[in-house]
Amino acid sequence: MTFAEELVLLALDPGTGKFHPLPRKSLELSLAGALLLELSFQEVIDTEPDAVVILQTKFKRSQFLDAALQTIREGEDRVPLRQALARLALQGHMLISRTLQRLVDQGVLTQRDNSFLWIKRPLLHPIADGESYDNVVDRIRALALDAEEIPDPHDVVLVALAEGCKLHSLLFTVEEYPQVRERLKAIAAMDFVGQAIVRAVQDLGERSLLELAAGRES
């Protein structure tokens, strides 16, 4: 399951099938960050602190990721990180819709009017002691609540992305969140690329995506 898919599952309220209330543009920007990180993990791009370097001009294994790649590059081999995020985030509503549809097609979600409800637990995720968490929310909660658990690189990225769109407080009870807040920050800080993208996402929140996507500072 991709970062984008699991981020969308984290953002959905399992009770209502609708998205949690989040700060303006934060889900679109974090989803853009998720796609950049997926392309980086797939070695299609290289992410530097301030730039995205294109390593492959096509990604044949996934039409969805290839479309994201073409949106980022627009014929360039090196794109400023904020510009790459802005180009993707401008397509945020479409990216969210396509990610939801991918989850429906996989049989993870079912659509009822404007709601998307889980109809099966997402792919099993084994942990060291032989147990498994087959739900991305359960995984992040277990990781945060157990100070002895060592996060894998995939979940470090998810924690960073959830931090970027202010999701963490919605995954825990009012009593739990103060206890896990610092651990979540420490986990998010383990991934250099993820943190660079999260910082860029947070910085872009109140700025003109159109101007940034075109390479003009607002």
Side-chain angles (χ1 to χ4, degrees):
M1 190 167 287
T2 67
F3 293 126
E5 290 163 353
E6 291 203 311
L7 179 65
V8 164
L9 288 176
L10 284 173
L12 278 175
D13 182 332
T16 67
K18 297 181 183 298
F19 286 111
H20 288 295
L22 297 170
R24 177 174 170 266
K25 293 192 293 190
S26 65
L27 182 56
E28 290 90 341
L29 283 163
S30 291
L31 188 59
L35 289 168
L36 280 183
L37 285 160
E38 192 71 43
L39 289 166
S40 178
F41 265 57
Q42 297 287 343
E43 299 183 341
V44 179
I45 64 172
D46 185 23
T47 306
E48 299 178 351
D50 296 309
V52 171
V53 180
I54 309 300
L55 302 178
Q56 299 180 35
T57 57
K58 290 283 293 179
F59 188 57
K60 296 180 180 178
R61 282 184 285 161
S62 167
Q63 290 183 341
F64 184 52
L65 288 176
D66 185 60
L69 174 64
Q70 304 314 319
T71 297
I72 293 164
R73 63 186 293 262
E74 292 189 0
E76 302 172 77
D77 292 328
R78 184 184 181 91
V79 182
L81 177 59
R82 292 177 184 175
Q83 188 174 6
L85 284 166
R87 286 175 177 175
L88 285 170
L90 280 173
Q91 299 185 8
H93 290 298
M94 181 194 72
L95 294 173
I96 291 169
S97 295
R98 289 189 65 184
T99 303
L100 286 167
Q101 188 58 53
R102 284 164 61 89
L103 290 164
V104 169
D105 292 344
Q106 292 174 54
V108 176
L109 297 177
T110 185
Q111 184 173 4
R112 297 179 186 171
D113 298 323
N114 293 319
S115 299
F116 292 85
L117 299 169
W118 287 6
I119 56 175
K120 76 171 188 179
R121 310 291 262 180
L123 300 176
L124 292 178
H125 181 85
I127 59 175
D129 60 5
E131 296 183 67
S132 63
Y133 294 99
D134 55 356
N135 172 314
V136 62
V137 177
D138 290 348
R139 283 190 358 239
I140 300 305
R141 282 179 47 78
L143 182 60
L145 291 165
D146 183 356
E148 300 301 316
E149 187 168 342
I150 300 173
D152 70 16
H154 184 97
D155 284 346
V156 168
V157 167
L158 277 176
V159 169
L161 289 168
E163 179 184 27
C165 57
K166 311 298 184 186
L167 258 173
H168 284 157
S169 63
L170 301 171
L171 305 178
F172 300 88
T173 66
V174 174
E175 293 76 23
E176 289 171 338
Y177 185 58
Q179 302 172 31
V180 301
R181 184 166 46 204
E182 293 306 313
R183 174 159 166 80
L184 288 166
K185 288 181 181 178
I187 293 170
M190 292 178 184
D191 185 79
F192 172 77
V193 174
Q195 276 296 288
I197 287 175
V198 167
R199 284 194 297 271
V201 163
Q202 292 170 338
D203 186 52
L204 288 176
E206 298 303 322
R207 305 177 71 178
S208 167
L209 294 181
L210 280 170
E211 291 188 1
L212 285 165
R216 301 193 300 273
E217 293 289 328
S218 61

